[in-house]
Amino acid sequence: MNAFPPAPEAQVTLANWRTRPFNAWAFHHVREVVPSADIPHDPGKVQPFLEGPQVTPDGLEDFLRDGEVDGLVVLHQGAIILERYGNGMGPRDPHILMSVSKSLLGLLAGVLSEQGVLNLDAAAETYVPELTQTAFAGAAVQQLLDMRTGITFNEDYLITEGPIVEYRKATNWNPLGPGEVPSDLRTFLLSLTETDEPHGGVFDYKSPCTDLLGWIIERATGKRYADVFAQEIWSKIGAETPAYITVDRLGAPRTAGGMCVTTRDLARVGQVLVEDGAGVIPKPWIEDIESNGDPAAWDGGAFAPDFPGMPMHYRSKWYVLRDRGPILFCIGIHGQNLLVDRKAGLVLARHSSLETPLDPASELKTIALFERIRDMVA
């Protein structure tokens, strides 16, 4: 995308933007490929970072290269101790979060719950009555947050047909085929009518559950998700750059994966958790994430083998490594992460453009790097 115009074989398009080598440019130019909605910050409340003693952990250069890292920011006690960029990205370039978007929704849910706007025990159809005849009927808001619903949905990022492909088309992430009629996200959600187990079972990762929560939040507040997120979180955390989120042809937000923020501002989200919510996120909500997930539900889920021997749980869109701090963390495909150790005052934000959507080895390397840095600053 450096020529004007780029050669046809180098052009980033809706058909190739999530594949290598195109994603190295596309992931921090998403709104040039997919429609989006602004999430404004408050320029009057920007919190400048201090610069702390710089660290260079063992294996850093290998981690940056092998992990196709586009942005890396590490904070200790609120000061930047490590910052790197690659693939043409810089400190003010918003980069897609993929499923780290889910974790940010989880924080917003905590705010709305404390305000009494969102009832975590209410069934999904309480807010969206159209769901009565769908697989989501009877699923509580908290079950949607914890990925413990029984809807039938195959979250395989590499298959080329089936519901997940129709899902991407409905959200404007994939082009339509010849003669196909445009759909939209909410219509797609209403098409999910089959279940394979009761709600409330094991951890079962299905992205449409988070997009449904975006719809529920819009119904509960009577406002667009982007506006609610800006009002309740993004304008309050000291973000230095506006964020944005991808939307479908009718404006429905891709809350499961479409948020785009700078690496520095992603680190600011982690710092808010270190500071017990900083008056933005309720402290009891953070403590609930940290302590109240169900380890048995995690152990029975499909992701547990990717983290061998690690006692973990999943709560309100956050992964928790229970015995090492604990560490609260987020995962997005193609190498997006946010890791937080509240006791150590340590935050790591990472944006990447890995070729493979899911790379468990890369996640383990990120945790290991985080722990090496923690040992250095302890």
Side-chain angles (χ1 to χ4, degrees):
M1 295 292 285
N2 294 324
F4 307 95
E9 65 273 13
Q11 179 72 46
V12 175
T13 69
L14 196 61
N16 67 21
W17 70 280
R18 298 189 312 278
T19 62
R20 291 292 297 179
F22 307 101
N23 63 355
W25 181 91
F27 281 3
H28 54 98
H29 294 84
V30 172
R31 72 182 335 163
E32 297 176 48
V33 184
V34 184
S36 62
D38 282 323
I39 300 176
H41 70 318
D42 185 340
K45 294 183 179 178
V46 173
Q47 295 291 326
F49 281 124
L50 299 175
E51 186 167 308
Q54 299 297 288
V55 299
T56 306
D58 290 342
L60 176 62
E61 295 306 319
D62 290 342
F63 177 83
L64 296 172
R65 182 191 65 249
D66 297 343
E68 290 290 351
V69 173
D70 302 324
L72 179 69
V73 172
V74 180
L75 308 179
H76 182 234
Q77 306 300 349
I80 294 178
I81 61 172
L82 176 60
E83 185 170 22
R84 296 285 192 277
Y85 295 96
N87 288 322
M89 183 168 153
R92 296 189 61 82
D93 293 326
H95 187 292
I96 195 162
L97 291 177
M98 297 300 185
S99 288
V100 178
S101 307
K102 296 178 173 71
S103 304
L104 300 195
L105 178 142
L107 299 181
L108 178 58
V111 173
L112 298 177
S113 173
E114 184 187 61
Q115 293 175 354
V117 174
L118 194 63
N119 180 355
L120 304 179
D121 296 323
E125 64 269 27
T126 304
Y127 295 99
V128 184
E130 297 95 320
L131 297 169
T132 303
Q133 301 302 318
T134 73
F136 294 108
V141 171
Q142 187 66 63
Q143 290 170 339
L144 292 167
L145 284 166
D146 292 344
M147 292 290 191
R148 296 179 67 184
T149 72
I151 71 166
T152 300
F153 185 79
N154 181 11
E155 187 104 358
D156 184 340
Y157 303 108
L158 299 179
I159 59 177
T160 57
E161 60 183 9
I164 194 169
V165 176
E166 299 310 310
Y167 174 46
R168 290 170 176 163
K169 292 176 182 177
T171 59
N172 263 337
W173 279 35
N174 273 27
L176 297 177
E180 289 186 322
V181 177
S183 182
D184 64 272
L185 175 56
R186 298 181 187 111
T187 297
F188 175 80
L189 293 173
L190 296 178
S191 76
L192 298 176
T193 59
E194 296 182 7
T195 58
D196 47 31
E197 59 185 13
H199 301 312
V202 300
F203 170 76
D204 196 0
Y205 194 92
K206 295 162 182 173
S207 286
C209 293
T210 310
D211 288 310
L212 175 57
L213 283 164
W215 192 2
I216 288 171
I217 286 170
E218 291 184 324
R219 284 286 179 87
T221 61
K223 300 176 182 177
R224 295 192 318 158
Y225 180 86
D227 296 335
V228 179
F229 193 88
Q231 175 183 319
E232 300 296 344
I233 294 183
W234 210 244
S235 65
K236 296 180 178 180
I237 67 167
E240 61 182 326
T241 307
Y244 62 91
I245 188 167
T246 68
V247 296
D248 73 359
R249 67 186 182 90
L250 299 180
R254 184 80 193 277
T255 58
M259 280 198 68
C260 300
V261 309
T262 68
T263 315
R264 282 187 166 204
D265 283 340
L266 180 59
R268 281 185 171 89
V269 173
Q271 185 61 28
V272 165
L273 301 188
V274 167
E275 296 174 6
D276 291 335
V280 180
I281 312 300
K283 182 181 178 182
W285 186 255
I286 300 170
E287 293 172 338
D288 181 82
I289 290 172
E290 202 168 66
S291 303
N292 286 342
D294 187 338
W298 171 265
D299 291 343
F303 285 12
D306 294 336
F307 299 88
M310 298 183 177
M312 291 178 59
H313 71 251
Y314 185 89
R315 181 69 165 173
S316 296
K317 306 300 180 189
W318 285 77
Y319 301 83
V320 179
L321 187 52
R322 300 167 68 92
D323 69 335
R324 304 190 188 185
I327 297 173
L328 285 66
F329 66 104
C330 322
I331 298 174
I333 58 173
H334 299 284
Q336 325 313 320
N337 295 108
L338 177 62
L339 290 80
V340 181
D341 185 325
R342 297 172 63 224
K343 292 180 181 177
L346 192 66
V347 175
L348 182 152
R350 171 199 181 198
H351 282 123
S352 299
S353 50
L354 285 168
E355 179 176 6
T356 303
L358 290 176
D359 187 346
S362 181
E363 304 301 339
L364 295 177
K365 289 176 182 177
T366 305
I367 293 170
L369 178 75
F370 184 76
E371 292 182 327
R372 289 200 298 276
I373 296 172
R374 185 174 60 184
D375 291 342
M376 295 175 71
V377 301

